[in-house]
Amino acid sequence: MKIDFDGIQAFVVIAELGGFNKAAEHLHVTQTALTRRVQKLESYLGLKLLDRTTRYVELTAVGRDFLPQARAIVGEMTAAVGRLKDMSKNARGNFTLACVPTMAAQILPKLMRAYANSYPRNRIRLLDATSYEVRDAVLNSQAELGIGIHGEHHPDLTEIPLFDDPLMFFCRESNPLSNMKSVTWSDMSGADLIVVSNLTATRVFMDYQLAKRGISLSGAYEVQHHATAISLVAAGVGCAILPASTFQEGDRPGVRRIPLISPVVKRKVILVTRKNCTLSPAAEAFYDLVKKTQFTDTNA
């Protein structure tokens, strides 16, 4: 069914204002154009809605019966269009963001606070997932935006680099290496290492970079999440190699974060979107915020 909104709107305004002249002025059209709209609607319906003479305009019995429904149609359409215009003008709405958990320690909260200050009525649904899952969520339209780790290029994704995130050595203050300004990979040869799963992008990236340099490290413990590794370090179970963005120095009492050198290994944090996919106004506002953000060196 083809709905003639212009005709329905014309009929409602004529009925409410009591004439074609006032209705034409209200809709900013000529009386001739207004008449054509009504005639087109009546022709489509096969019914007369208005009786018109040179002296008056009067609703037919069918017109009187149809008027409440026509008002509802015009009201709902006007409200819907108004909401869309408000979304466009003020970036109103909600969106889903997929993000690797390590960003939740310090980077993501700052972005979300800045976004909330500018768009307090908007809401973000957060999917915390591995970098591979972040990419899949964006590809499958489960999330409009993703913050993940640079990996194998996908032709349907656009990746914008945000900052380099170096791997660092985390240990308790009681560890023999805790007073060093920097630690080499060879310094950790006898350490009780807590490593994250080889299914994570961080582990895959680290193993690849070390293999290129002939460096091999084995872990005494393996966990699925960076947060678990930090908790074990804080409990004195062992030490860990984790991204600098995992937390800032001082976030966990008694835990040190020391730069790793020889070599310095950095992962690249990226903003992910799907190609040829128009973002909602709310997501686009967050996208612009992230692009404009000057990220500080997480090694600092």
Side-chain angles (χ1 to χ4, degrees):
M1 181 184 294
K2 184 178 180 182
I3 304 299
D4 182 6
F5 177 76
D6 285 345
I8 295 173
Q9 182 188 45
F11 164 69
V12 170
V13 175
I14 291 168
E16 291 181 340
L17 297 183
F20 277 71
N21 185 35
K22 292 180 180 179
E25 290 180 2
H26 180 80
L27 294 175
H28 306 289
V29 297
T30 65
Q31 288 194 49
T32 301
L34 189 67
T35 300
R36 285 176 183 159
R37 290 185 182 184
V38 174
Q39 289 173 341
K40 182 180 176 183
L41 176 63
E42 291 177 328
S43 175
Y44 175 73
L45 296 174
L47 295 166
K48 285 284 288 183
L49 299 175
L50 297 167
D51 285 329
R52 181 186 184 188
T53 70
T54 56
R55 291 180 298 170
Y56 67 88
V57 174
E58 187 175 76
L59 272 67
T60 65
V62 173
R64 288 193 296 271
D65 185 60
F66 178 56
L67 181 58
Q69 300 167 63
R71 280 198 181 109
I73 292 171
V74 172
E76 289 178 8
M77 180 63 77
T78 302
V81 171
R83 286 193 296 270
L84 290 176
K85 289 181 70 175
D86 186 48
M87 286 175 60
S88 175
K89 182 179 179 182
N90 301 305
R92 293 263 171 85
N94 309 319
F95 74 97
T96 300
L97 169 70
C99 182
V100 291
T102 49
M103 293 299 102
Q106 50 181 304
I107 304 298
L108 187 58
K110 293 177 182 177
L111 291 172
M112 294 179 72
R113 283 195 295 269
Y115 183 76
N117 288 337
S118 298
Y119 308 98
R121 293 173 58 183
N122 292 3
R123 294 292 178 267
I124 300 175
R125 177 173 177 259
L126 185 62
L127 297 178
D128 52 338
T130 67
S131 191
Y132 305 112
E133 292 169 338
V134 166
R135 294 159 70 89
D136 285 343
V138 175
L139 280 170
N140 297 326
S141 299
Q142 295 171 321
E144 290 190 74
L145 299 172
I147 297 178
I149 308 305
H150 175 70
E152 185 178 353
H153 174 71
H154 194 288
D156 294 329
L157 292 177
T158 299
E159 300 180 355
I160 298 176
L162 299 180
F163 62 91
D164 289 334
D165 193 14
L167 298 182
M168 302 186 78
F169 179 71
F170 292 79
C171 67
R172 290 281 302 176
E173 290 178 343
S174 57
N175 189 286
L177 301 175
S178 65
N179 292 322
M180 299 182 66
K181 291 184 178 180
S182 60
V183 174
T184 67
W185 295 84
S186 58
D187 290 334
M188 297 181 295
S189 58
D192 289 330
L193 278 179
I194 302 163
V195 297
V196 293
S197 168
N198 56 13
L199 297 178
T200 64
T202 298
R203 175 69 181 278
V204 172
F205 171 75
M206 182 183 77
D207 288 348
Y208 172 71
Q209 294 295 329
L210 296 182
K212 288 200 308 182
R213 297 167 173 84
I215 300 173
S216 176
L217 291 174
S218 60
Y221 312 94
E222 181 174 303
V223 298
Q224 295 294 315
H225 305 290
H226 296 80
T228 305
I230 283 296
S231 295
L232 293 178
V233 171
V237 174
C239 48
I241 300 169
L242 299 169
S245 60
T246 303
F247 76 86
Q248 291 181 316
E249 185 76 32
D251 283 355
R252 291 287 190 106
V255 176
R256 290 289 321 282
R257 187 186 77 164
I258 305 171
L260 267 173
I261 60 172
S262 301
V264 174
V265 177
K266 298 180 180 181
R267 65 178 193 169
K268 190 176 294 293
V269 178
I270 57 173
L271 178 64
V272 184
T273 58
R274 190 155 61 94
K275 287 183 179 178
N276 304 317
C277 182
T278 302
L279 296 174
S280 67
E284 188 170 11
F286 189 84
Y287 176 87
D288 291 338
L289 169 68
V290 174
K291 283 181 60 179
K292 294 175 183 176
T293 300
Q294 297 294 319
F295 294 96
T296 57
D297 185 356
T298 55
N299 196 21

